[in-house]
Amino acid sequence: MEVGAEGFARRLPRLRRRILRAAFVALDMEFTGLHSTSLQNNEPSLFDSPTERYVKARQSVQRFTLVQLGKCCSDTESDLLRYVVHSYNFFLFPSTLGIRDVEFTLSASSIQFLSHYGFDYNKFLKDGIPYMNEVQEKVLRQRLLAGSWKVCSNVDRDVLKKAIDEVTSWIVAAKEEDTMILQDLNGYHLLEVQLVLRQALENVWTEPLGDKKVMVKKVSPEHRQLLENSSYDHCQKKLILLSARGFTNLFQILVKAKKPLVGHNMFMDLMHLHDKFYRPLPESYEEFKRNIHNLFPVIIDTKTVTKSVQKKCLFPRVSSLLEAYAVLCSSNLNPKGPPCPVIALASGCSRYAEKKSPHEAGYDAFLCGSGKILLKNSFRVCVGIWHGAVEADPSFSQYLTVLAEHVNKVNFIRGGVSSINFSGEDAPCRHPPALIVHVRGWPGLTERQIYQEFKARCRFDVRRLSKNQFILLSNQYKHVRLVLRNYRHHPHLQVSVYRHWRHSPSVNCLLQISGIVALWSLLAFALGGAPSC
């Protein structure tokens, strides 16, 4: 089900009930870009520690914004083998109501990618649900209290100018209690027009009529003061903040509910959740981890779960979310085993049962969590642990028990650890041994040129060690063996396995200093003779 700004406030109470009743909530997001190319060395690398990757990703998250967020809530019925899925697809756009204008970057490749899969940018721009974080909300609240609220958008200024011109022309001849109607006001314009008119004219009162209309009434200043103090005023500051927060209201409901949060390759998703709806990302990686764990105590990354199932169970190797979904839906995967949990789409949310919509946030959220990936992977782990004798009607809490080793561990793509542990220490990753390349008779080589040299045969990440030495890292043993074999007799590039004690500049420097100290000590001993008793 698609939800935009126009219908979001009306659906919010129902969305809240769905979250509170859900066994878990799955999220997926689409962005205006992933990795900023304007920043040097910002691409993910196998050399990255979690802290280094966080610093890179933080710069990108601050530049790009969300365009779409998918959410799936899964309710269990009385029959515990049946899960009813409520899937939603939200278009989002940064709040422009009374706060400093928000700037964000568009990545051409990301825009082209989403367009290829049918993303509707008109809905993003024209009907995107607003949102803001706590810092932006604090600024807006201060401006509302101080009466220094102002319009940021040029489009909004044009709409407001037209409305003000109509009202000032009308009010000259109008009598008290006379009314007029302003029409075709969308979204924030309903609020902004009322705020600006009340701020500019002390003898008018405004009320929203629905259907994009606002009623303007001429009143006395005394009557205006009575109306402002009534509980029926639609421009109360708390209502303005509620409207400006937009999707952040749903985020806060999700945080308070403390439901298990499910996603696929969730690292960037969690960073955007923190930055856009909670607080600007902190500089400290450890502080970011603590904040996320406080917000969402139970996180399940289906990429981490799928990788484990591939190792432990008879499960084909897959690379994408859609491939994993197709394999888990296959009747050939476990034809003689016990019945898997049944997943049914709720009425009004059945579009994804009829049509595949890859890289649409709502569809991907359905696939990774409330669809098949989490539930059926969990079921296969149960089968593996209990050797096929699965307990009758296992509950979701039992699934969480068998997945305990994967809880709060988010997949780390191409880096120094296999996953980020939001409730403990990050576990180091077991990569194939690093290689060192000695360059001879080929002066001035750069990391990029070394990368291009090996790119045709296999994929390595490259880092310069010294003027004529480079380290290569791969996540596949066959690539390491291939390079060692093919470059055994290369005239300019000598490739060998990297040994820290032998090749590290710091270790070599320490050994040289130790050798010099030992030599001087020996020399002093020889020249001074043995000390007398």
Side-chain angles (χ1 to χ4, degrees):
M1 179 184 294
E2 285 191 351
V3 183
E6 191 170 343
F8 178 73
R10 184 177 71 254
R11 289 191 173 97
L12 188 58
R14 178 177 292 181
L15 291 167
R16 180 179 181 276
R17 291 193 296 270
R18 295 285 184 222
I19 288 175
L20 295 179
R21 286 206 298 260
F24 58 94
V25 177
L27 294 182
D28 187 78
M29 300 170 209
E30 302 297 338
F31 318 114
T32 57
L34 285 176
H35 308 292
S36 177
T37 55
S38 61
L39 302 168
Q40 191 173 8
N41 298 324
N42 200 50
E43 287 289 327
S45 166
L46 289 169
F47 291 98
D48 289 345
S49 68
T51 301
E52 290 170 332
R53 178 68 59 80
Y54 174 75
V55 171
K56 290 180 178 181
R58 179 174 178 263
Q59 293 175 313
S60 295
V61 168
Q62 290 169 335
R63 287 171 175 261
F64 299 117
T65 195
L66 294 171
V67 296
Q68 198 177 63
L69 186 146
K71 179 179 75 70
C72 270
C73 300
S74 286
D75 305 341
T76 53
E77 293 190 336
S78 55
D79 175 5
L80 291 178
L81 273 179
R82 178 179 168 88
Y83 289 81
V84 179
V85 173
H86 301 268
S87 180
Y88 298 91
N89 199 42
F90 302 95
F91 288 91
L92 303 178
F93 194 83
S95 180
T96 59
L97 182 61
I99 61 175
R100 189 180 66 179
D101 203 6
V102 176
E103 297 179 355
F104 58 84
T105 303
L106 300 176
S107 163
S109 60
S110 294
I111 299 303
Q112 189 178 46
F113 176 83
L114 290 177
S115 296
H116 175 74
Y117 286 100
F119 184 82
D120 190 337
Y121 283 95
N122 280 323
K123 291 180 180 178
F124 159 62
L125 295 169
K126 295 181 178 180
D127 196 32
I129 304 165
Y131 60 86
M132 59 174 57
N133 60 35
E134 289 181 0
V135 173
Q136 294 167 323
E137 182 182 342
K138 183 179 179 181
V139 171
L140 177 57
R141 181 183 286 110
Q142 290 173 342
R143 289 183 177 178
L144 286 171
L145 291 173
S148 59
W149 174 89
K150 63 180 181 179
V151 178
C152 296
S153 167
N154 289 329
V155 175
D156 293 345
R157 291 192 185 100
D158 293 340
V159 172
L160 296 177
K161 184 178 183 303
K162 180 176 179 291
I164 291 170
D165 290 344
E166 288 182 34
V167 173
T168 51
S169 300
W170 163 79
I171 204 168
V172 173
K175 299 176 182 179
E176 280 193 18
E177 301 302 317
D178 283 355
T179 62
M180 69 169 293
I181 305 296
L182 297 173
Q183 304 195 42
D184 299 325
L185 298 172
N186 297 312
Y188 280 155
H189 296 156
L190 284 168
L191 267 177
E192 289 174 329
V193 163
Q194 296 181 77
L195 289 170
V196 169
L197 288 174
R198 292 186 189 187
Q199 196 173 39
L201 304 168
E202 63 177 9
N203 59 340
V204 301
W205 184 248
T206 61
E207 288 184 16
L209 298 178
D211 196 27
K212 304 179 182 180
K213 296 177 183 178
V214 168
M215 182 198 73
V216 182
K217 179 188 287 188
K218 186 173 182 179
V219 297
S220 66
E222 294 79 14
H223 189 197
R224 158 83 176 259
Q225 191 172 6
L226 289 173
L227 291 169
E228 283 179 341
N229 294 326
S230 73
S231 59
Y232 300 102
D233 183 8
H234 292 273
C235 288
Q236 293 178 26
K237 291 179 176 58
K238 64 179 182 180
L239 295 178
I240 294 171
L241 285 169
L242 187 69
S243 176
R245 277 199 300 264
F247 192 85
T248 306
N249 293 304
L250 190 62
F251 170 79
Q252 291 170 348
I253 291 169
L254 184 60
V255 169
K256 290 177 182 177
K258 301 300 180 189
K259 298 291 182 178
L261 189 68
V262 180
H264 193 80
N265 274 332
M266 298 177 70
F267 183 51
M268 294 298 286
D269 293 343
L270 292 171
M271 291 188 72
H272 275 281
L273 281 176
H274 190 299
D275 189 68
K276 304 303 188 293
F277 306 119
Y278 179 52
R279 294 172 187 168
L281 286 167
E283 293 184 4
S284 165
Y285 165 68
E286 293 298 333
E287 184 181 348
F288 163 71
K289 283 177 60 175
R290 286 193 300 271
N291 289 348
I292 289 295
H293 188 54
N294 289 334
L295 293 170
F296 307 108
V298 179
I299 295 173
I300 304 171
D301 189 335
T302 56
K303 180 66 175 181
T304 303
V305 176
T306 303
K307 285 165 66 176
S308 174
V309 172
Q310 287 174 342
K311 293 177 182 178
K312 296 179 180 179
C313 308
L314 184 62
F315 190 94
R317 184 168 294 277
V318 294
S319 58
S320 72
L321 186 61
L322 198 58
E323 288 176 0
Y325 175 79
V327 168
L328 285 164
C329 287
S330 171
S331 58
N332 298 325
L333 192 61
N334 191 28
K336 297 181 180 180
C340 289
V342 176
I343 298 104
L345 280 161
S347 59
C349 303
S350 59
R351 182 165 67 94
Y352 295 144
E354 302 160 359
K355 179 185 176 183
K356 293 179 181 179
S357 303
H359 303 291
E360 183 173 290
Y363 183 72
D364 286 353
F366 161 65
L367 294 188
C368 77
S370 305
K372 307 280 184 179
I373 308 299
L374 175 68
L375 292 173
K376 292 205 171 182
N377 264 329
S378 305
F379 186 80
R380 287 194 62 77
V381 174
C382 289
V383 172
I385 290 176
W386 297 325
H387 306 290
V390 179
E391 293 183 12
D393 302 343
S395 65
F396 185 70
S397 61
Q398 288 175 295
Y399 287 149
L400 279 181
T401 301
V402 300
L403 293 177
E405 65 177 300
H406 307 300
V407 170
N408 293 327
K409 294 179 181 177
V410 171
N411 187 51
F412 193 71
I413 302 174
R414 291 185 65 80
V417 298
S418 58
S419 62
I420 293 174
N421 187 355
F422 281 91
S423 56
E425 294 293 325
D426 301 328
C429 187
R430 295 182 62 184
H431 286 308
L435 301 181
I436 185 168
V437 179
H438 298 262
V439 182
R440 296 175 178 175
W442 207 346
L445 275 185
T446 64
E447 289 181 1
R448 187 67 184 172
Q449 289 171 317
I450 290 288
Y451 173 79
Q452 293 295 335
E453 167 68 23
F454 291 97
K455 181 182 177 182
R457 296 173 177 83
C458 47
R459 184 178 179 185
F460 280 90
D461 287 343
V462 182
R463 179 171 288 183
R464 183 185 289 275
L465 183 65
S466 65
K467 182 180 179 181
N468 295 318
Q469 292 180 320
F470 297 85
I471 297 179
L472 307 182
L473 266 184
S474 174
N475 54 7
Q476 295 194 39
Y477 282 91
K478 64 179 181 180
H479 289 172
V480 172
R481 290 192 295 267
L482 180 68
V483 167
L484 286 173
R485 183 175 66 248
N486 291 354
Y487 281 80
R488 187 176 300 167
H489 304 294
H490 195 279
H492 302 294
L493 302 177
Q494 180 186 346
V495 182
S496 58
V497 175
Y498 176 81
R499 308 291 184 190
H500 182 72
W501 59 268
R502 180 180 177 186
H503 298 118
S504 171
S506 57
V507 172
N508 285 334
C509 181
L510 183 62
L511 289 175
Q512 289 175 9
I513 293 173
S514 301
I516 293 172
V517 171
L519 180 62
W520 275 105
S521 300
L522 184 63
L523 188 61
F525 179 81
L527 294 176
S532 59
C533 297

